């Protein structure tokens, strides 16, 4: 079951290249839609990536969202996504919304797709995928 669908737009890149590889911070903005939550990514979203000299790497994205939950009440989410390149993510979510509290304890998986001018991150429950 898809619980969140995010459109992510990279707004800046900070990068350091060394003999070990590349350390990169991707700054981003965007929006979120779905049956459970509608909102925007708050300023300050960042994906920190480390890429070794063979092209293997990891990502660690952290961002917060502001919007409304399915009951129409104001809600906020904090999401942390960690993964190795090419693998699905396993997001951890924190929220102040009682009706979204299930996201804090439900096993989740995230998929990242490149679209024309942005990334699409889809977060869904693992139970429905099996």
């Amino acid at each position: 079951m898809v619980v969140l669908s995010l459109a992510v737009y990279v707004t800046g890149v900070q990068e350091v290249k060394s003999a070990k590889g590349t350390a990169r911070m991707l700054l981003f903005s965007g929006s979120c839609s779905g049956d459970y939550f509608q909102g925007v990514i708050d300023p300050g979203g960042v994906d920190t990536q480390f890429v070794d000299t063979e092209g293997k790497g990891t990502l660690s994205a952290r961002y917060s969202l502001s919007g409304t939950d399915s009951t129409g009440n104001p809600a906020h989410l904090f999401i942390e996504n960690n993964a190795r390149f090419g693998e699905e993510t396993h997001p951890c979510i924190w929220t102040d919304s009682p009706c979204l509290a299930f996201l804090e304890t439900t096993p989740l998986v995230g998929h990242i797709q490149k679209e024309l001018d942005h990334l699409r991150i889809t977060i869904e429950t693992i139970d429905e995928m099996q």
Side-chain angles (χ1 to χ4, degrees), residues 40-51:
V40 297
I41 298 173
D42 296 324
V46 65
D47 178 7
T48 304
Q49 300 180 352
F50 296 101
V51 185

Side-chain angles (χ1 to χ4, degrees), residues 6-70:
L6 296 109
V8 175
Y9 298 85
V10 175
T11 59
V13 178
Q14 299 172 359
E15 190 172 81
V16 175
K17 294 184 180 193
S18 79
K20 295 188 325 183
T22 303
R24 179 182 303 125
M25 291 174 37
L26 302 171
L27 309 172
F28 59 87
S29 63
S31 60
C32 180
S33 61
D35 293 339
Y36 298 96
F37 179 83
Q38 302 279 330
V40 297
I41 298 173
D42 296 324
V46 65
D47 178 7
T48 304
Q49 300 180 352
F50 296 101
V51 185
D52 67 19
T53 55
E54 296 176 7
K56 296 178 183 174
T58 60
L59 65 87
S60 180
R62 292 178 177 88
Y63 49 101
S64 60
L65 299 102
S66 297
T68 55
D69 63 23
S70 60

